[in-house]
Amino acid sequence: MKVSSSVFASLCLILELFGLALFLRGFFPVPIKSSFSSKSKLSDLPAEPLTGTSPNASKVPPALFKRVVVVLIDALREDFVFGPSGRKYMPYTRHLVERGSSHSFVARAKPPTVTMPRIKALTTGSIPGFIDVVMNLNSPVLLEDNLIWQAKAAGKKIIFYGDDTWVRLFPKHFMEHDGTTSFFVTDYTEVDNNVTRHLDSTLKRDDWDVLILHYLGLDHIGHISGPHSSLVGPKLVEMDDVLKKIHTSLISRESEGTLPNLLVLCADHGMSETGSHGGSSEPEINTPIVFISPAFKRKVAMETPPVVEQVDLAPTLALALGLPISQNSVGCVIPAVFEETSLREQLRFLHLNGFQLSCLLKDSIPTFQKEDGYEQFRVSEKSHGNWMKLYLEGNTSEVLVNMGRKVLKQYLEALKSMSSALSRQLGKYDMYSMVVGMSVCVCLQMLLLLLFAMPEALSNGAVVDLPLGSALLSLPFYLLCLLCAALHVFVCTSVGGSCYFCSLPWALVFTAVAFSCAFLCTLVSMAARRLSVGAKSPTKVSNWRLSELDVLLLLGTVGHTLSLASSSFVEEEHQTWYFLLNTLCLAVFQDVCRKYFREKKRLSQGEDEGPLLPSTKGDNAADDASTSFSPVAELGVSAGSEKWLALATPLLTLACCRLLRSLNQTGVQWAHLPDFSHWLNNGEHKTVLSLLAVASLALVFVLVQRRCSLVSKIALALGLLGVYSYRAAVGNILFPWQHTSRAPSKGTVEARFVYVFVLGILFSGAKDLLRSQVISSDVRLKSRGLWEVYSGLVLLAALLFRAHNLPVLAGLLLIQTLMAQFIWKRLHYDAAQTTIMHYWFGQAFFFFQGNSNNIATVDISVGFVGLESYVEAPAIFLTAFSTYAGPLLWACHLVCYLSSERDRSVVSLGHGCYCFALLRSIPAVAYVVLVTALRYHLFIWSVFSPKLLYEATHTLATAAACIFFTFMDQNQNLTRP
Amino acid sequence: MWDSEIRAMASAHAIIASSVFMATVVPAVLVENFSVYRTHLVWLYSVCGAVAAVNVAVFGLLGVSPPAKKHTLHHKVSRLVKSCLHFLLSCLFFHAVVVLYGAPLLESTLETFSLSVLLSTLTTLRCLCVLGPNVQAWIRVFSRDGAMSVWDTSLQITAGCSVVGAWLGAFPIPLDWDRPWQVWPISCTLGATVGFLTGLVAAPVWIHWHRKQLTYKSK
């Protein structure tokens, strides 16, 4: 079966995507769930243990507090309260922490430190899986057993004000709620005023039991200008006033005879040094928890707050309110909060928590009896029973108290080790799915590599001969199928139901097995063929010489792939790409120098020899005219200055890259350094930003319009104007004639205006493409159509990029134009080299945009451009497009470039597609293998898993680009005479 | 003839390499609190000075450099001035390249410039000693198949090794090991020096190995 290499590459990439998806499903552990899907009930609670007599039906523990107010301040770092800035800006809270009746703790949040998983952790006490981050965009209703549900079921009245993520998680749980949306990051006053405005009236009322406030302002300030900005101080003062107001109101309504009230100050996550969050650096995971209630003892002096886990809040609050602990909670109660209760009650609380944890342990770990914590819990339960017996007999001696304390200690140890065993359980992987996914990936990878080993298939025909038919009819294929199926049945029946691959329908699994066996057979027969060919003609390999550039390109690809094994290099991947790109530009510069100086030498030699000169010159000119659009005609450059422009191009590219890299600092180690984008977004430099945006948009227009039709030119100009007015409407940049500051709007009208033009240009491009295919095989029409599709994408990117990122787009176009005109065409780089260069540039531009391998840098606000509310499909598409705009635009340019170069080599598109797929799948597959090997690495959740998601998404984007390639290639094959 | 030239080169390179070691050892005895990491610039400049002095002396004595056409004082001075100018320009060139590679533009300029001085000493200065301030000759030597003598080949190898060493030296900078040698520009200068030493060793060995294939056109 003969397939063209572009089709082959796309097919491989798509199959690889399936493998990756299966791998991801196995890699990201499903959160621990109790086997019963029901919620904990009060009646299910165990009785107090008592040895001897039959278990007495002791009463359910009563609530300790009457009312609870939870103040959750988004991105409140621990040092904002306990550090020096707390002393300065939050004097009242600080006074309560130091001298008031309060307990304060540093709560460690688990990564990913993103709001929704953290809210889930706070309310359910479980640790949400990493995959929850992906679901962060549309938070569905929380169905798991949780504190809010329990409180509602117990008849408590809950009021909520703040981030509307809560409202989406708990749609019917609140008696009263007012959600504020968190997507307009630039607004940090209104979001909080919308919460505080309800406070006075609510505090006066008596009809509620739990009040939850979620303040977003601080988080927004962090996103805009970081933790050291001048905006943070006033915001903390505002929060301090809110706390003071609530606290004084609670105190004044305190009356004799009733239970005391409780005020809890906590945070969902911290804030990194750059002001973002999502990772696992210390300032991001350390958050304060302060319990304030008259029931506690007064503090004498400031103590260093002890460290607890963030999930500990859920069981603590549950017991404090007299509610059952949520089933899936892995936290253990904070004993300090219950210090003032009697020893019997304290033991009772710990027993309840321990019972719940041991149930969860039983459900989630098959070998639960071997766990230390479980054993400890059994022992302490027994001694608890003994203690109870003595206690009920009326023994009140000192010995009993000491014994009780001992039991307490035992309980706490048991809780700690059970909790950590459960948390560890979250790191368990579905190995079978991973291995199957991996072997599918690796299989295809070998296939691609083998293909790479046959230069003749790559160079001339661009046609791959897949011996699929003979493989399907061979005996080994059927044997292999049987073997794999048997293996599958064996693994699935022995492992049990914890494997995702086993839970798939059997028919699907066996189809997949047959597929992979067929591929394996094909692979083997291809390898055999290759080996026999190689043995017959060994001389062919030796004359295959590599230039310095080839060596660099190969070494760079291999080196980058290897560097993915180190967490630092993953964090700082942008440095790798900038470094490689720089070296590439210097190598290209050397090539250019060699070409022009050697030519000069040859020319001067020719002058010496006399009559040779005119003929060579004439040949060159003829060559130029026939092979490609010469820059002389296209840019109006004279032939003499062309040499100097060609020499200047790599240098200009280098300078451009250097400027762009100082635009956005990404990564981890140097992310806190001041960069140009912060300076531009400062507010004081709005004029500069506006001028920069205008200049970039103008440059974009000049560079893109060259090859468009007149209609598209006009549409492009209007579209770019629309982009500017959209940015002005949102409030990022200034309108020249607008002096009074208008309130920033959403800019929906402007954005939709641009969308119309984007669609228009894309449509006209597609129309040209189709016409060139159906009606006439006009090359010009086709290349214009391609270019129009490309310019439509550029316009979309211009709309989605933040104002300070517009220079990235302009730089991208500038480099593309110059390189295409003076380097790739002039120096006759072949399709493979050009493709690798495009890929490297694409990677570097991915990071120039400010992206990194951290989830926190994904700009979600892009999904709301031109939309009134959250709509899933367009939001995801827009976010993905704007994140991968750099690589996608380079891939698109590659298609345009290669298809315009068709005179030189008809198969260049096929080669380009093949190389592109190969370049993507080498790091992706290597990374999958690496991650499997490093799955118990310390940084697996904070560094490697986000990168895995990025790799998978990037492969998806590349697959889309490859399909486009294939389409164009087929198109070309059809029109080829 | 071949053997004698290779032997001369090997001994010259041995002297230069030992000068690098001396430049590390001697200040350690003389200067208080000397350390390659903490007082890095002192070490760097002592290496630069030693390599420069030994290079000039060795190549002057060996008489490898092209014979001056005129022996007037004026000519010699102009040659010297030209050489200094070339050296300075190459420092600036290396500085620019290093900044393009991502070194901070405004902060730690002294460190960056010191690195470029070191690189210039290891590459340009040797070119100046062997070829004189003659850019045409440099271009000839560093283009493909341009070497005309054993010394040209050794220049190619040592210069290439120094630059590649500095290039490789930048690799450990992003690692989060917090070692003293990861501070800018220590790893790069160390890489360049190690590369240079490797080049000094590799050049005679390589030429000896390939002496059958190497056939130089006469000038």
Side-chain angles (χ1 to χ4, degrees):
Chain A
M1 196 169 88
K2 285 194 190 252
V3 197
S4 83
S5 61
S6 60
V7 174
F8 173 72
S10 309
L11 267 179
C12 285
L13 215 55
I14 289 167
L15 287 175
E16 202 172 296
L17 270 179
F18 280 112
L20 265 179
L22 188 61
F23 179 82
L24 286 180
R25 185 61 180 72
F27 182 75
F28 290 112
V30 195
I32 292 182
K33 290 264 161 65
S34 197
S35 55
F36 311 102
S37 58
S38 64
K39 325 246 166 168
S40 312
K41 285 186 204 121
L42 275 178
S43 52
D44 294 343
L45 288 186
E48 255 177 312
L50 183 62
T51 39
T53 55
S54 62
N56 62 336
S58 79
K59 64 183 190 314
V60 170
L64 294 178
F65 300 99
K66 186 163 151 247
R67 284 171 156 192
V68 174
V69 180
V70 178
V71 179
L72 198 161
I73 301 175
D74 213 291
L76 184 69
R77 263 157 61 148
E78 163 262 326
D79 65 326
F80 284 168
V81 179
F82 303 136
S85 47
R87 190 181 298 281
K88 200 164 156 198
Y89 299 118
M90 303 189 82
Y92 187 78
T93 317
R94 191 56 183 257
H95 175 76
L96 286 177
V97 167
E98 283 176 19
R99 314 262 157 195
S101 47
S102 68
H103 289 295
S104 19
F105 304 93
V106 173
R108 293 173 69 85
K110 283 266 189 311
T113 44
V114 185
T115 299
M116 198 194 65
R118 294 317 2 120
I119 292 177
K120 284 188 179 173
L122 283 170
T123 52
T124 62
S126 65
I127 301 170
F130 195 86
I131 218 72
D132 269 335
V133 187
V134 188
M135 305 302 204
N136 196 4
L137 279 175
N138 59 335
S139 47
V141 179
L142 185 60
L143 295 172
E144 248 181 275
D145 190 6
N146 61 69
L147 189 65
I148 309 292
W149 188 89
Q150 293 288 357
K152 185 165 186 282
K156 304 234 181 241
K157 304 233 167 33
I158 314 167
I159 296 182
F160 171 78
Y161 300 119
D163 187 356
D164 63 351
T165 313
W166 285 77
V167 182
R168 273 177 278 148
L169 282 174
F170 310 107
K172 286 182 190 141
H173 300 61
F174 301 122
M175 179 181 85
E176 211 177 287
H177 61 78
D178 180 19
T180 52
T181 176
S182 67
F183 283 108
F184 290 98
V185 172
T186 43
D187 162 36
Y188 50 84
T189 41
E190 204 60 28
V191 270
D192 287 355
N193 290 342
N194 280 344
V195 179
T196 313
R197 66 177 175 183
H198 300 287
L199 210 53
D200 282 321
S201 59
T202 314
L203 286 173
K204 279 194 196 104
R205 281 157 39 190
D206 269 328
D207 58 343
W208 52 268
D209 302 294
V210 180
L211 171 64
I212 302 171
L213 306 169
H214 187 143
Y215 282 98
L216 282 169
L218 187 63
D219 182 53
H220 290 189
I221 289 175
H223 282 298
I224 298 167
S225 51
H228 304 295
S229 107
S230 55
L231 298 170
V232 169
K235 181 50 78 178
L236 290 180
V237 171
E238 184 191 331
M239 293 294 114
D240 196 43
D241 286 343
V242 167
L243 283 168
K244 186 176 180 180
K245 189 186 275 175
I246 298 170
H247 189 231
T248 43
S249 156
L250 286 180
I251 294 272
S252 68
R253 300 179 79 82
E254 205 84 43
S255 52
E256 284 294 318
T258 54
L259 291 169
N261 296 329
L262 175 67
L263 170 60
V264 182
L265 166 68
C266 61
D268 52 351
H269 50 75
M271 190 191 284
S272 72
E273 281 302 302
T274 51
S276 67
H277 55 85
S280 59
S281 69
E282 286 292 312
E284 276 169 280
I285 59 168
N286 285 341
T287 63
I289 290 189
V290 185
F291 297 93
I292 305 161
S293 170
F296 302 143
K297 245 190 283 181
R298 271 188 178 279
K299 284 271 159 60
V300 204
M302 178 70 181
E303 306 153 0
T304 356
V307 176
V308 295
E309 293 295 322
Q310 194 182 36
V311 285
D312 294 348
L313 185 67
T316 311
L317 275 185
L319 292 177
L321 285 171
L323 304 170
I325 300 172
S326 328
Q327 262 178 351
N328 299 328
S329 157
V330 297
C332 39
V333 289
I334 305 172
V337 176
F338 305 104
E339 242 167 36
E340 298 303 303
T341 56
S342 70
L343 193 55
R344 180 180 176 182
E345 274 178 324
Q346 285 186 43
L347 287 177
R348 173 80 173 131
F349 287 135
L350 291 177
H351 176 240
L352 285 176
N353 192 200
F355 182 77
Q356 172 262 332
L357 281 177
S358 67
C359 285
L360 189 59
L361 204 64
K362 259 186 229 171
D363 284 337
S364 51
I365 304 180
T367 57
F368 64 94
Q369 267 132 346
K370 283 181 197 145
E371 292 289 335
D372 288 344
Y374 189 76
E375 198 52 40
Q376 278 170 346
F377 176 67
R378 286 273 154 253
V379 172
S380 28
E381 201 174 24
K382 218 169 262 167
S383 37
H384 184 188
N386 289 332
W387 184 85
M388 275 303 288
K389 193 177 168 201
L390 290 174
Y391 180 82
L392 288 180
E393 279 164 8
N395 194 338
T396 50
S397 69
E398 189 76 9
V399 183
L400 189 71
V401 175
N402 284 338
M403 190 180 149
R405 299 237 168 277
K406 217 175 118 193
V407 177
L408 195 83
K409 217 172 265 167
Q410 272 181 343
Y411 262 135
L412 283 177
E413 273 168 26
L415 289 183
K416 278 263 151 19
S417 56
M418 278 198 286
S419 169
S420 64
L422 282 167
S423 307
R424 230 186 2 253
Q425 178 68 9
L426 284 169
K428 216 176 94 177
Y429 303 100
D430 180 359
M431 270 320 276
Y432 184 51
S433 298
M434 274 166 75
V435 167
V436 170
M438 204 165 77
S439 62
V440 171
C441 277
V442 172
C443 216
L444 285 165
Q445 176 65 20
M446 277 159 59
L447 202 63
L448 280 167
L449 270 178
L450 268 173
L451 205 95
F452 193 65
M454 40 183 182
E456 79 270 24
L458 187 67
S459 56
N460 299 328
V463 172
V464 181
D465 186 13
L466 278 180
L468 202 61
S470 63
L472 276 179
L473 293 175
S474 66
L475 183 65
F477 166 69
Y478 295 106
L479 287 180
L480 208 63
C481 268
L482 271 179
L483 189 71
C484 288
L487 198 71
H488 177 75
V489 172
F490 174 71
V491 170
C492 284
T493 45
S494 63
V495 165
S498 69
C499 171
Y500 172 73
F501 196 55
C502 296
S503 63
L504 285 175
W506 290 97
L508 196 67
V509 170
F510 285 127
T511 323
V513 164
F515 252 108
S516 57
C517 290
F519 270 106
L520 198 65
C521 290
T522 318
L523 194 67
V524 170
S525 63
M526 270 168 84
R529 202 174 60 196
R530 205 49 46 213
L531 275 177
S532 62
V533 169
K536 270 176 207 161
S537 55
T539 46
K540 241 184 177 176
V541 188
S542 60
N543 58 20
W544 191 40
R545 238 191 117 185
L546 292 169
S547 71
E548 284 104 330
L549 195 73
D550 292 329
V551 173
L552 174 69
L553 292 174
L554 285 180
L555 277 184
T557 310
V558 174
H560 165 252
T561 309
L562 290 181
S563 81
L564 292 177
S566 148
S567 64
S568 307
F569 278 125
V570 172
E571 278 174 344
E572 306 287 330
E573 201 193 345
H574 57 289
Q575 304 279 8
T576 316
W577 284 116
Y578 297 165
F579 199 75
L580 285 178
L581 195 67
N582 239 308
T583 316
L584 175 72
C585 284
L586 286 176
V588 167
F589 181 59
Q590 188 228 9
D591 261 13
V592 178
C593 280
R594 183 174 290 162
K595 174 180 182 251
Y596 282 101
F597 284 116
R598 194 191 276 168
E599 251 177 28
K600 192 176 126 201
K601 217 158 120 196
R602 205 192 296 148
L603 282 183
S604 63
Q605 275 170 4
E607 240 165 346
D608 291 341
E609 287 165 23
L612 263 172
L613 175 69
S615 66
T616 42
K617 222 176 191 176
D619 278 354
N620 279 345
D623 275 356
D624 282 352
S626 64
T627 49
S628 55
F629 312 103
S630 79
V632 183
E634 225 174 290
L635 288 183
V637 180
S638 73
S641 61
E642 189 202 312
K643 173 187 158 189
W644 295 111
L645 276 172
L647 281 173
T649 300
L651 298 181
L652 202 73
T653 310
L654 279 172
C656 204
C657 290
R658 183 66 181 88
L659 285 178
L660 290 180
R661 93 186 255 171
S662 49
L663 190 63
N664 288 306
Q665 287 281 0
T666 65
V668 171
Q669 277 194 57
W670 294 282
H672 61 278
L673 292 181
D675 57 11
F676 214 53
S677 70
H678 275 98
W679 186 82
L680 285 172
N681 286 328
N682 201 350
E684 293 164 25
H685 307 111
K686 235 178 185 175
T687 334
V688 186
L689 184 63
S690 314
L691 288 175
L692 199 64
V694 171
S696 313
L697 289 177
L699 191 59
V700 168
F701 177 69
V702 169
L703 291 173
V704 172
Q705 53 88 27
R706 287 177 299 128
R707 291 202 229 154
C708 291
S709 62
L710 184 66
V711 182
S712 304
K713 265 181 208 178
I714 295 169
L716 188 70
L718 287 174
L720 289 174
L721 276 180
V723 169
Y724 190 84
S725 52
Y726 168 72
R727 284 294 155 198
V730 175
N732 294 356
I733 48 179
L734 296 167
F735 258 134
W737 53 86
Q738 171 204 331
H739 295 293
T740 52
S741 58
R742 210 172 37 167
S745 72
K746 281 182 174 182
T748 320
V749 181
E750 288 87 347
R752 286 184 180 167
F753 176 76
V754 182
Y755 281 138
V756 169
F757 286 111
V758 170
L759 290 179
I761 295 175
L762 283 178
F763 176 73
S764 102
K767 193 191 70 191
D768 278 354
L769 279 180
L770 286 178
R771 230 173 51 188
S772 76
Q773 189 185 354
V774 176
I775 299 167
S776 61
S777 56
D778 186 359
V779 187
R780 285 212 166 268
L781 196 62
K782 195 185 146 194
S783 81
R784 200 179 72 190
L786 259 179
W787 189 262
E788 273 172 4
V789 169
Y790 174 67
S791 56
L793 292 181
V794 168
L795 183 57
L796 183 60
L799 174 67
L800 298 181
F801 274 18
R802 299 256 183 122
H804 68 264
N805 270 342
L806 285 174
V808 176
L809 193 64
L812 180 134
L813 289 166
L814 187 69
I815 293 177
Q816 282 176 350
T817 314
L818 287 176
M819 289 295 252
Q821 292 300 337
F822 297 113
I823 304 294
W824 293 319
K825 272 181 195 169
R826 305 276 103 197
L827 292 177
H828 303 288
Y829 287 136
D830 64 22
Q833 284 170 327
T834 320
T835 308
I836 300 179
M837 286 191 218
H838 269 90
Y839 180 76
W840 285 20
F841 270 109
Q843 288 298 100
F845 270 85
F846 175 74
F847 293 108
F848 284 146
Q849 282 171 244
N851 289 320
S852 71
N853 283 332
N854 191 333
I855 296 287
T857 48
V858 177
D859 184 6
I860 313 166
S861 62
V862 166
F864 293 82
V865 171
L867 299 175
E868 287 289 355
S869 61
Y870 179 79
V871 191
E872 192 172 346
I876 288 177
F877 170 74
L878 290 176
T879 312
F881 179 79
S882 98
T883 310
Y884 285 96
L888 279 176
L889 286 180
W890 277 97
C892 249
H893 183 263
L894 184 65
V895 180
C896 292
Y897 173 76
L898 287 179
S899 58
S900 79
E901 282 288 276
R902 50 178 284 157
D903 308 338
R904 209 170 69 201
S905 161
V906 246
V907 290
S908 57
L909 259 180
H911 290 171
C913 179
Y914 171 74
C915 291
F916 215 64
L918 187 70
L919 278 173
R920 182 79 285 274
S921 44
I922 289 174
V925 173
Y927 193 71
V928 161
V929 177
L930 275 173
V931 160
T932 315
L934 297 174
R935 62 189 180 282
Y936 296 115
H937 194 281
L938 182 62
F939 296 140
I940 190 78
W941 294 115
S942 54
V943 177
F944 290 111
S945 324
K947 173 69 180 156
L948 188 64
L949 288 181
Y950 271 105
E951 286 289 322
T953 328
H954 194 180
T955 313
L956 187 68
T958 315
C962 273
I963 290 170
F964 184 46
F965 260 103
T966 314
F967 172 70
M968 290 318 300
D969 193 30
Q970 294 310 100
N971 196 344
Q972 202 168 34
N973 286 345
L974 286 177
T975 56
R976 200 184 289 168
Chain B
M1 181 248 171
W2 269 103
D3 277 348
S4 71
E5 225 168 14
I6 291 174
R7 213 168 290 144
M9 179 188 290
S11 46
H13 282 183
I15 294 170
I16 296 169
S18 65
S19 81
V20 173
F21 284 111
M22 290 305 286
T24 315
V25 175
V26 171
V29 179
L30 296 180
V31 183
E32 241 175 274
N33 294 330
F34 177 82
S35 134
V36 174
Y37 300 149
R38 266 169 288 143
T39 54
H40 185 68
L41 291 187
V42 176
W43 173 80
L44 196 153
Y45 282 112
S46 91
V47 168
C48 281
V51 170
V54 170
N55 259 319
V56 171
V58 165
F59 287 107
L61 286 174
L62 276 175
V64 178
S65 43
K69 283 162 199 158
K70 291 175 241 164
H71 284 283
T72 56
L73 183 70
H74 172 74
H75 186 74
K76 275 185 179 163
V77 168
S78 87
R79 251 178 92 93
L80 191 69
V81 169
K82 249 184 169 176
S83 300
C84 288
L85 200 69
H86 274 85
F87 186 76
L88 196 68
L89 281 179
S90 98
C91 286
L92 291 177
F93 169 75
F94 276 119
H95 191 96
V97 168
V98 171
V99 167
L100 285 178
Y101 263 104
L105 181 65
L106 299 176
E107 295 117 54
S108 58
T109 319
L110 182 65
E111 281 83 355
T112 312
F113 193 70
S114 308
L115 171 66
S116 56
V117 168
L118 181 76
L119 278 173
S120 301
T121 317
L122 300 184
T123 56
T124 318
L125 194 84
R126 281 172 61 80
C127 292
L128 284 171
C129 288
V130 177
L131 303 169
N134 177 1
V135 181
Q136 289 299 324
W138 294 16
I139 291 176
R140 169 180 59 76
V141 168
F142 287 101
S143 58
R144 198 177 281 165
D145 306 326
M148 284 192 193
S149 73
V150 194
W151 294 102
D152 289 357
T153 313
S154 98
L155 257 189
Q156 284 177 350
I157 291 174
T158 46
C161 283
S162 313
V163 172
V164 169
W167 189 78
L168 289 174
F171 278 46
I173 297 178
L175 293 171
D176 56 355
W177 296 344
D178 288 328
R179 295 296 152 86
W181 46 266
Q182 279 179 298
V183 179
W184 174 253
I186 298 180
S187 59
C188 284
T189 53
L190 288 182
T193 317
V194 170
F196 179 64
L197 292 176
T198 319
L200 288 182
V201 176
V205 173
W206 193 85
I207 291 170
H208 183 74
W209 208 258
H210 290 86
R211 65 185 182 281
K212 295 269 159 51
Q213 288 98 307
L214 285 174
T215 46
Y216 296 114
K217 283 184 270 176
S218 61
K219 282 179 195 172

